[in-house]
Amino acid sequence: MRCPFCRDEGSRVVDSREVEEGQAIRRRRSCPQCGRRFTTIEELVLTVVKRSGVTEPFSREKVLRGARRACQGRPVEEDALQQLAHRVEDTIRSLGMSEVPSHEVGLAILGPLRELDEVAYLRFASVYRAFSSIEDFEKEIVDLRAARDGRHDEQGTNGK
């Protein structure tokens, strides 16, 4: 690591610790040339591997754009979308891989979006899963209702 003060290449690590819940490492460094200290932060760069094989850096903003598009015209607050994007990034990082297939990102979006807004979920799922018929929508709606009824039963309301 090059010293930001004298540009010498021989800095040494004085102290290291994890930050951001283990997603980055903060290193305190010392330059033997000028004696000054500086801090660096090393962060895992997440890469998304698309179906075509092309790779690109993970983008929380891209997740937000997709969720916003799905939620267009729905009563969903911007803060809820920001939280969804944060959850998706946490889920992807928790996989512990530096390269993540794009379908894993899509799956990570589906769960939180389903909890946030069922209509937005259907919109996103129809594109993500490439629905080709009304039957695809019907099946997904049946699954949504079953999940919702299951939640009501767990809460002791039996769907009534």
Side-chain angles (χ1 to χ4, degrees):
M1 172 60 62
R2 194 179 292 264
C3 173
F5 306 108
C6 72
R7 310 298 294 158
D8 185 69
E9 293 183 21
S11 69
R12 67 180 181 85
V13 175
V14 177
D15 179 48
S16 292
R17 65 182 65 166
E18 287 186 0
V19 292
E20 298 179 27
E21 299 175 2
Q23 300 304 314
I25 298 175
R26 178 185 174 273
R27 297 196 194 279
R28 193 72 182 136
R29 296 177 175 270
S30 175
C31 176
Q33 183 67 31
C34 68
R36 295 177 80 175
R37 290 187 172 200
F38 58 98
T39 301
T40 59
I41 296 186
E42 297 175 17
E43 189 173 39
L44 172 68
V45 175
L46 282 176
T47 304
V48 176
V49 182
K50 299 184 148 217
R51 289 182 190 133
S52 66
V54 174
T55 61
E56 65 181 41
F58 173 83
S59 168
R60 187 187 296 190
E61 188 55 42
K62 195 168 180 180
V63 170
L64 267 172
R65 275 196 310 271
R68 273 192 199 111
R69 194 173 304 126
C71 292
Q72 194 169 4
R74 301 295 302 156
V76 176
E77 300 287 326
E78 177 63 23
D79 188 51
L81 291 172
Q82 293 287 341
Q83 289 175 9
L84 179 143
H86 183 74
R87 281 180 65 188
V88 169
E89 185 172 0
D90 284 349
T91 299
I92 296 302
R93 286 191 182 278
S94 73
L95 296 174
M97 302 183 306
S98 61
E99 288 191 345
V100 179
S102 59
H103 75 272
E104 290 290 338
V105 177
L107 289 175
I109 294 170
L110 284 172
L113 192 56
R114 185 178 194 167
E115 295 169 14
L116 184 63
D117 186 275
E118 291 174 336
V119 172
Y121 166 79
L122 276 174
R123 289 174 177 170
F124 189 88
S126 70
V127 173
Y128 175 71
R129 293 187 175 142
F131 288 4
S132 60
S133 68
I134 194 77
E135 288 79 18
D136 293 336
F137 281 94
E138 288 173 340
K139 181 190 176 312
E140 199 64 43
I141 290 169
V142 166
D143 291 347
L144 275 171
R145 284 187 176 137
R148 187 189 317 145
D149 291 345
R151 283 195 306 266
H152 286 301
D153 289 344
E154 290 171 9
Q155 295 168 358
T157 61
N158 292 328
K160 296 178 187 170

